[in-house]
Amino acid sequence: MAQAAIAPPKRTTDYVARMGGVPLAWLGVLPFFIFAVMFLILPSLSLFTGSFTDAKGGFTLDNVLGLTRQDIVDAYVLSIQISVVTAIVGGIFGFFIAYALVMTGVPSALRTSLVTFCGVASNFAGVPLAFAFVAALGRTGFITEFMRDTLHFNIYDHGFNLYSFLGLSLTYLYFQFPLMVLVMMPALEGLRREWREASENLGANGFQYWRYIALPILTPSILGTMILLFGNAFGAYATAYALTGGRLQLVAIQIGAQIRGDVLHNPGLGYAMGFGMVVIMALSILAYTLLQRRAARWLQ
Amino acid sequence: MSFLELSNIRKQFSNVATPAVQDFNLKVEKGEFVSFLGPSGCGKTTTLRMIAGFEHPTSGSIVINGKNVIGVPANKRKIGMVFQSYALFPNMTVADNIGFGLRVAKRPKAEIEPRVAEMLKLIHLSDKGKRYPAQLSGGQQQRVALARALAIKPELLLLDEPLSALDAKIRVSLRNEIRAIQRQTGVTAIYVTHDQEEAMSLSDRIVVMSDGRMEQVGTPFEIYNFPQTQFVASFVGTLNQVQARVVDPSAGTLEVEGQPIVAAKAFDARKGETIAVALRPEMMSLDGKTQDDAVNRLVVTVEETTFLGSIVRTRARLRESVISFDTFNNPNLALPQRGEKITVAFPREAILLLKPSNAATENLL
Amino acid sequence: MKRSTFWGLFWVTLAALYLFVPLWGAFDFSLRAERDVIGVAAYTRAFADDDFWRTFIFSNQMALISIVASILLIVPTAYWVQLKLPQLRPAVEFITLLPFVIPAIILVFGYIKLYSSDIALGPITLLPPLTNSDFSTNILLVAGYVTLALPYMYRSVDNGLRAMDIRTLTEAAQSLGAGWFTIMFRIIMPNLRAALLSGALLTFAIVVGELTLATFLGRPAFGPYLQQLGQHKAYEPAALSVVSFLLTWLAMVLIYFVTRGSNAQVTGAH
Ligand SMILES: Nc1ncnc2c1ncn2[C@@H]1O[C@H](COP(=O)(O)OP(=O)(O)OP(=O)(O)O)[C@@H](O)[C@H]1O
Ligand SMILES: [Mg+2]
C-alpha cells in the first residue's frame, strides 16, 4: 500500500492510486493536516465549544451573553480603540514614509538602511520593546529627562504617562508604522510611470492624477494593510503586559489574567472572551481578503 | 510653416557620456503620418518623449503649430500619446478611461458621454464600455488607449511602439485600423517602431535613426529603393552590400575584389578610395539569360541555394563579400550547384553608392 | 534641493528618529548602571547571571527545534501541493493564514484548555495531559512556535519552490533513479537554501524573545526571564533589550543578504 503512494506511477496526472476512495497522494500532506488539526484547529474549536458549555457540561448561551457585562464590553472597546488608533495613525505615517522613500529623491543609502530598520522594528515587539520605551519615555527616560533639562518641560507634569492609552499607542506604533512602510513600498513601486504620463498627456495635473488614479489604485492596499495593523495590535499581549502590567484592561490582558487564575470566576466566560477575540480577528481578515481580491481584479 | 518643427534637438542624459539624440531636424506637415524607424536604443522614444514634454531637450527647439513648446508642461500641450504597454488606468472602466481627458478638463457630462460613445464606435468596442481594462485582450486594450488619446481631439498623436506587445496577426489588422483612424480624424501622427515592414506600410514618411542621429528621411519608396547610407541600406530591405575600390569616379568605374563594375553615373570620390556600394538583388540574373543592358558581370562561387516556392534564393561568395539574389522559379531552371562558379549579371542601375553611416560607426552587416 | 526631496527627507528623518530614539534611550540608560560613570556594568552583571544563560540557551534550543520542525513539516507539504495536489492549495493556504486570526494568547489558552487533561474517546485515553511533564510541555511550546511562524515560513518556501521548476527537477531526478528521500534532501532543500534561511531567521526573531506562550506554559524561556527581571531591576533589562534588538537586527540583515544573494544566483543562472 505504502509503496503505491511513494513510488510514483509513470503518468501521475492520469493515474492516482486510491485507497478506500481517498487518493493515496493525499498521504503526502497528512502530517501537515494532522499538525494543523492538533495545534491550530482543535485548540480554537475547544475554546469555541467551551464558550457554549456550562459548568456541568451542558449547552448554554450564558457565556456568550455574559460578554455584555460592563467590564468585558469596556475591555473590548479599549482594545478596539487602541487597535484602530494605532492602525490609522501608523497607517498614515507609514504611508507618508513609504511615499517619501519611493517617490522622492531620498539618497539610496538612507533608503536601504531605513527599510532594513523597518524590517527589524516590525518584528521587534514584546518585552524588549516595552523596556526600550520605558528607557526612552518613562519617568526617568531619555526623552523625558532631555525635555525636562533642556526645554524645562516635564511631560509627566502635563498629563503624559507611558503606562496609559497614549503611552501604549506610542509603543505599538513602533512596530505598526514600519509594517505599513514595508507593505506600501512595493504597492507604490507598482504605480507605473506610464499611468502618470498618460494622465499628464490627457491634461491632468498632479492632484488629479492622485485623486482619480493613484489613490483609487492604492486604496485596497492601504485599507488592507491598515486592517493587518488592526489585527496586529488587537492580538498583542506581550508588549501591553510588559509595559503596563495589568493597568490597561485590554481583552488580551484580561484573558491572560483569566488563564493565570479564573479572575472572571467563570471559565466559560473566559472561553467566550477568547472566542469573541477570534471572531473580531476573523472579520478583519475577511475584510482584508475582500480588499485584496478587489485589488487583484485591477492589477491582473 | 510646418505643423511640427524640431530644430537642432539634442538630448544628453547626465549619467551617460554619449548624447541619446543629436542634430535632430524634422518638419512634419499637418495630417502627415511620420514613423521613426531604428534599432533598439537609437533614441526614438527619447525624441518622442521630448515632443510629448516628458523629457526636456538639452538644446534645440520644438515648435508645434507656430508655438514654441519648450518649457510648456506635458499636461498643457494637448498631445495624445499611445504607449507600448497601453497604460490604461486599471481602476477605471473603458468608458471612464476614454473620457478621462475630458473629465479633468471639466467638460460637462453632456459633452463627455456622446464623445465617449463616438470613440467606442470608432474602435469597434461599443459593447465593452463598462468593462475594466484587465477584462480585455491586448489588442482591445490598445484600441482603447488609442481612443483615449484621441478623445481630447489632439492635433498631434504620438505612438510609441503601440503594437510590439501584440501577436503578429493582430499587429497587421490593428496597424491598418490605426492608419484608417488617423486618416479619418486627420490627426498628425508620429509613430515609433523598429519594425521596418510596419513603418513602410503605414507612413507617409519615415525617419531612419541610428545612434541618436537621423540617417535618412523620406517616403517608404525612397527609403527602400534609394538608401543613402550604409546603415539604411543594411537596416532596410535586402540590398547586398560590398566594398568597392574607386577606379575612375568621372567614368563611374569601380572594382569589387578585383572585378570591374560600372555605375550609372559619375560620382564624387577620390581615386583608389574604398567605398560601400549596394547591389540590388532583384536586378541580378544568372548569366545566360542576360538582358541587353546588363553590362556588369561578377564571377561568384555558389554557397547555397534555397528553394522558397515561387522563388529560388542563391547565396554566393566573391572572395570576401557575400551577395544573395533571387530567381523566379520555373520547371526548366537549372539550379546552380554548391561550389559551382557562376557569373551574375546586372545593369549599371543596380549599383547604389552609399555614404558611410551618419553615426560614423561601422555598419551593421 | 527640490521641494519633494525636502519633504521626503523630512518624513524619513521623522521615521528614523522614531525608530532610533527609544533604542538610544535604552542604550544610554543601560550604560548608567553605576553612579556618575558611563560603563558596561549592566551588561557584565546581566551576563553574569546564570539564569540569563539558562533561559537564553533554552530559548535558542526551542528556536532551533521549531525551525527544524517547521522545515520538515512545511517543505514536503508545499512541494507535494505544488506537484501533485494543486486542488488542496486553497485549503493549505487558508490554514497557513489562520495564525493571523488566532493570536498567541488565544493559542496558548486553547492549548491549556485542551491539553491539560486527558483527551479521551469514551473510556479510551487517546492522549495523556501534555502539560504534566516538562518534555511534553516543550512539545506544546514548539508546536506553538511552529504555528506562529507558519505564515512566514510557508510563504517563503512556497515562493522559493515557485521560483524553481520543481516538476522538471523532480522528473529529471526520478529518471536518474532518485527516490523521494533523495529528491527532498539532496535536490529540493538545497535549492531552497535562501528561502529556508530567511524563514528560519524570521522564526528565530519571533521565538527568541517570545513571552506569551512561554509564560503561560510555564517554561523557563528568555522572554519571561526578561519580564521578571524588569520587575526588580532597572539597568540589566535595558541592557538585555539592547542585546535583543541587536539579535533581531542581525537576523534581518542576514535575511537581507541571504535573499539578495539568492536573486543574484537566479539571474546568474540564466
Ligand atoms: N532616463 C534615461 N537616463 C539615461 N539614459 C537614458 C534614459 N532614457 C534613455 N536613455 C538612453 O538613451 C538612449 C536612447 O533610448 P531610447 O529609449 O530613446 O531608445 P529607443 O530607440 O526608444 O529604443 P527601443 O526600441 O529599445 O525602445 C539609450 O541608449 C538609452 O539607454
Ligand atoms: Mg523605445
Side-chain angles (χ1 to χ4, degrees), chain A residues 133-148:
Chain A
F133 265 79
V134 171
L137 277 170
R139 216 168 268 283
T140 58
F142 181 74
I143 302 177
T144 316
E145 294 201 333
F146 174 82
M147 292 184 73
R148 194 190 58 208

Side-chain angles (χ1 to χ4, degrees), chain B residues 44-45 160-161 192:
Chain B
K44 306 177 298 282
T45 299
D160 190 357
E161 309 204 21
V192 163

Side-chain angles (χ1 to χ4, degrees), chain A residues 6 8 25-26 32 38-40 44 46 97 104 120 123 131 135 142-143 170 173-174 237 241 260 270-271 281, chain C residues 4 8 15 18-19 21 24 26 77 80 85 100-102 109 111 113 115 147 174 180 216 226-227 241 245 252:
Chain A
I6 289 163
W26 290 45
F32 177 80
M38 276 187 69
F39 296 110
L40 201 49
S44 321
S46 86
I97 292 155
T104 66
V120 181
N123 284 296
F131 288 172
F142 181 74
I143 302 177
L170 288 173
L173 281 175
Y174 193 87
Y237 171 80
Y241 184 73
R260 281 217 172 76
Y271 303 141
M281 296 291 277
Chain C
S4 73
Y18 204 117
L19 294 177
V21 167
W24 181 258
T77 307
W80 202 247
L85 298 169
F100 282 142
V101 183
I102 302 167
F109 197 9
Y111 284 3
K113 175 169 187 316
Y115 293 116
T147 306
Q174 280 176 344
W180 287 115
F216 290 110
L226 188 54
Q227 199 265 327
S241 297
F245 174 82
M252 292 301 136

Side-chain angles (χ1 to χ4, degrees), chain A residues 8-64:
Chain A
K10 284 264 171 323
R11 301 179 60 199
T12 39
T13 40
D14 295 351
Y15 165 72
V16 181
R18 286 178 172 271
M19 183 180 70
V22 180
L24 279 180
W26 290 45
L27 286 180
V29 291
L30 205 57
F32 177 80
F33 280 97
I34 291 178
F35 177 88
V37 167
M38 276 187 69
F39 296 110
L40 201 49
I41 293 167
L42 278 185
S44 321
L45 224 55
S46 86
L47 290 186
F48 176 73
T49 52
S51 316
F52 294 98
T53 311
D54 62 23
K56 290 188 220 73
F59 175 82
T60 176
L61 282 176
D62 287 352
N63 299 326
V64 178

Side-chain angles (χ1 to χ4, degrees), chain B residues 40-332:
Chain B
S40 189
C42 70
K44 306 177 298 282
T45 299
T46 307
T47 311
L48 204 70
R49 289 168 57 80
M50 287 191 281
I51 301 172
F54 298 132
E55 303 282 2
H56 304 288
T58 314
S59 61
S61 78
I62 300 175
V63 175
I64 300 175
N65 218 354
K67 187 169 159 247
N68 189 342
V69 295
I70 299 291
V72 177
N75 60 1
K76 298 275 185 291
R77 289 193 187 185
K78 260 200 108 176
I79 294 176
M81 183 144 174
V82 177
F83 297 80
Q84 176 176 0
S85 55
Y86 324 137
L88 294 178
F89 307 132
N91 58 317
M92 294 182 196
T93 61
V94 165
D96 288 344
N97 263 285
I98 296 175
F100 182 78
L102 300 168
R103 180 160 158 215
V104 296
K106 309 240 159 59
R107 310 318 291 256
K109 230 179 166 171
E111 180 188 331
I112 299 179
E113 274 171 13
R115 179 77 182 149
V116 168
E118 183 190 341
M119 285 292 125
L120 280 170
K121 200 161 152 229
L122 187 70
I123 55 167
H124 310 297
L125 286 177
S126 292
D127 54 334
K128 303 272 193 307
K130 291 213 163 53
R131 297 251 186 123
Y132 282 92
Q135 298 167 311
L136 298 183
S137 74
Q140 290 171 331
Q141 289 189 47
Q142 195 57 295
R143 268 143 68 195
V144 174
L146 182 66
R148 182 178 69 179
L150 289 172
I152 55 170
K153 299 196 176 147
E155 289 174 310
L156 183 57
L157 178 66
L158 308 176
L159 305 103
D160 190 357
E161 309 204 21
L163 305 180
S164 60
L166 302 171
D167 60 49
K169 216 167 148 190
I170 300 174
R171 273 158 92 138
V172 174
S173 72
L174 195 48
R175 88 181 177 214
N176 294 334
E177 199 169 330
I178 287 178
R179 181 59 163 152
I181 289 174
Q182 185 265 340
R183 285 221 170 89
Q184 202 176 330
T185 53
V187 66
T188 312
I190 297 186
Y191 188 99
V192 163
T193 179
H194 55 238
D195 178 337
Q196 56 147 315
E197 189 196 320
E198 214 167 271
M200 296 282 166
S201 63
L202 281 173
S203 324
D204 295 319
R205 280 193 301 153
I206 296 175
V207 179
V208 183
M209 295 178 67
S210 136
D211 277 345
R213 294 172 201 257
M214 310 167 72
E215 287 283 328
Q216 188 175 348
V217 184
T219 62
F221 186 83
E222 288 165 352
I223 297 283
Y224 191 82
N225 290 318
F226 305 104
Q228 285 169 2
T229 68
Q230 293 177 32
F231 176 81
V232 179
S234 58
F235 191 72
V236 180
T238 51
L239 297 182
N240 292 302
Q241 269 196 57
V242 294
Q243 297 294 317
R245 207 169 55 80
V246 178
V247 177
D248 181 1
S250 57
T253 52
L254 302 129
E255 211 178 77
V256 181
E257 301 189 9
Q259 309 189 39
I261 54 173
V262 53
K265 298 193 286 261
F267 53 89
D268 188 24
R270 274 179 290 113
K271 217 174 216 170
E273 189 183 0
T274 303
I275 61 170
V277 301
L279 307 175
R280 286 181 197 290
E282 66 272 18
M283 289 176 131
M284 294 182 151
S285 58
L286 290 169
D287 203 22
K289 300 172 199 59
T290 317
Q291 298 110 315
D292 301 339
D293 56 349
V295 299
N296 287 311
R297 286 189 163 68
L298 286 176
V299 178
V300 294
T301 312
V302 176
E303 287 212 319
E304 193 180 326
T305 52
T306 320
F307 186 67
L308 296 170
S310 64
I311 56 172
V312 178
R313 180 159 298 162
T314 309
R315 206 164 58 119
R317 174 177 286 277
L318 282 106
R319 232 177 312 129
E320 304 285 310
S321 359
V322 174
I323 59 173
S324 75
F325 54 92
D326 298 340
T327 343
F328 278 111
N329 176 30
N330 81 61
N332 307 322

Side-chain angles (χ1 to χ4, degrees), chain A residues 67-105:
Chain A
L67 291 180
T68 53
R69 231 169 74 177
Q70 194 56 46
D71 58 335
I72 294 179
V73 170
D74 287 348
Y76 275 105
V77 169
L78 187 65
S79 275
I80 290 174
Q81 275 176 342
I82 201 158
S83 309
V84 167
V85 167
T86 61
I88 291 178
V89 175
I92 293 175
F93 186 43
F95 179 82
F96 279 122
I97 292 155
Y99 180 87
L101 287 174
V102 175
M103 302 279 186
T104 66

